[in-house]
Amino acid sequence: RQGRSDEFLQLAAKADPHRYTLKLLELGQVDAAITASQQLETGGDILSVAKQLREAGRLNDAITLAERGLLNKASFAYELGTWLAPLEEAQGKNEMALLSYRAAYDAHPSIELYRNIKLLSGSQWENLRSALLQKISTAHMPGTLIDIHLEEGEWDAAVALAEKETWFGNLLGKVADAVIPHRPDWVIGVAIKQSDALIIKTQSNLYPAAAQWLRRAKKAYQS
């Protein structure tokens, strides 16, 4: 607060490598900051410095630092991976982009990351797909797994999972909306069952949901 930058740097160099590196960048001492960044260990610190390096026009150094964090399995793998992967793609480094997306996916699977991995994987796709599905199953993320089944047109697998995971009530409606053109008979059956179960409770706050299920049944009959 007093503007005593030299003394701040002397103290931070011993006590807080992250603040030390950021202060060097703030003072325009970019090369010294890059050297200091080698002491960073946590993914959050590495990512924040990498972002500042990019803003300082040192994109390659920013990428190198983020790669180190990712390859050393630092924390914040999702944040590091999703930040780094598009930069790697833009540089034409598809293998490193794939590794970055995969690290992010392993930390927090999502349909968006699944699509990016599929796009970059080429001939590796079949082996990678098995690993991606296994990761979701282990993490018990039925919503993401259903997204993948729907993405791949695996209608019966999506239906079976939605029926199994009744605890996640919104999944049934999501699948029903998606498979109307493909499995209309199933949609009709589940929609009537769901609407009847809601109506019989005679609670007016449930009627909008019952009406939504009846609209699904109507669309399925039309299909």
Side-chain angles (χ1 to χ4, degrees):
R1 288 194 296 269
Q2 295 171 18
R4 294 155 61 184
S5 298
D6 289 341
E7 290 161 286
F8 175 92
L9 289 173
Q10 290 173 19
L11 178 60
K14 299 176 181 179
D16 192 334
H18 181 228
R19 294 185 69 187
Y20 176 66
T21 306
L22 290 177
K23 189 64 175 179
L24 289 171
L25 286 168
E26 180 185 324
L27 295 172
Q29 300 178 34
V30 180
D31 290 331
I34 291 170
T35 300
S37 70
Q38 300 306 308
Q39 304 302 315
L40 302 177
E41 296 181 357
T42 70
D45 291 349
I46 288 171
L47 180 58
S48 70
V49 170
K51 288 179 176 179
Q52 291 297 319
L53 284 172
R54 183 186 183 188
E55 291 184 9
R58 301 292 288 268
L59 178 60
N60 289 335
D61 293 305
I63 290 174
T64 299
L65 177 60
E67 286 177 351
R68 180 173 69 79
L70 207 62
L71 293 173
N72 290 342
K73 300 187 182 302
S75 56
F76 288 79
Y78 176 81
E79 292 82 357
L80 266 173
T82 52
W83 182 81
L84 179 60
L87 297 178
E88 300 283 16
E89 279 194 84
Q91 299 286 313
K93 298 165 65 176
N94 287 350
E95 185 174 343
M96 195 62 206
L98 181 60
L99 187 151
S100 302
Y101 279 129
R102 179 66 192 277
Y105 182 94
D106 285 347
H108 187 73
S110 72
I111 185 62
E112 292 79 13
L113 291 170
Y114 176 92
R115 289 171 182 149
N116 286 323
I117 292 170
K118 182 178 182 180
L119 188 64
L120 291 173
S121 61
S123 61
Q124 305 175 58
W125 174 238
E126 288 306 319
N127 290 333
L128 274 176
R129 174 176 155 81
S130 298
L132 299 182
L133 295 179
Q134 178 61 36
K135 180 65 182 180
I136 296 179
S137 298
T138 303
H140 191 62
M141 300 179 68
T144 303
L145 185 52
I146 279 177
D147 286 339
I148 290 175
H149 287 320
L150 295 177
E151 176 83 7
E152 301 291 359
E154 298 166 352
W155 316 121
D156 294 330
V159 165
L161 186 56
E163 288 181 331
K164 176 184 176 184
E165 298 291 347
T166 54
W167 180 258
F168 302 88
N170 61 320
L171 296 182
L172 203 59
K174 181 178 187 176
V175 172
D177 288 332
V179 303
I180 286 173
H182 313 286
R183 299 292 185 272
D185 290 337
W186 175 81
V187 175
I188 291 167
V190 75
I192 297 300
K193 180 180 179 180
Q194 292 294 316
S195 62
D196 284 351
L198 292 167
I199 292 169
I200 201 170
K201 294 180 180 180
T202 62
Q203 297 176 23
S204 59
N205 62 309
L206 299 179
Y207 292 162
Q212 178 61 34
W213 277 110
L214 290 173
R215 280 192 288 270
R216 291 185 177 109
K218 180 179 179 179
K219 289 180 181 178
Y221 272 116
Q222 290 172 334
S223 183

